[in-house]
Amino acid sequence: VLEGINNRIKVIKRMAYGFRDDAYFFLKIRAAYPGIP
């Protein structure tokens, strides 16, 4: 499960190449995993 989460975060990081702030990046990760606090 953890390996899948890491892989998904890497994909989001590749998609998020143009993001200016880290907060928006973490919001994207939170949006991908709504059940995890």
Side-chain angles (χ1 to χ4, degrees):
V1 175
L2 194 61
E3 212 36 57
I5 290 175
N6 284 340
N7 205 10
R8 183 88 179 260
I9 289 175
K10 284 180 192 170
V11 169
I12 294 173
K13 198 189 296 183
R14 274 201 302 267
M15 287 169 27
Y17 186 68
F19 291 168
R20 287 174 186 78
D21 53 348
D22 292 337
Y24 189 66
F25 173 62
F26 286 115
L27 275 177
K28 282 293 196 185
I29 293 175
R30 289 272 173 85
Y33 298 102
I36 301 174

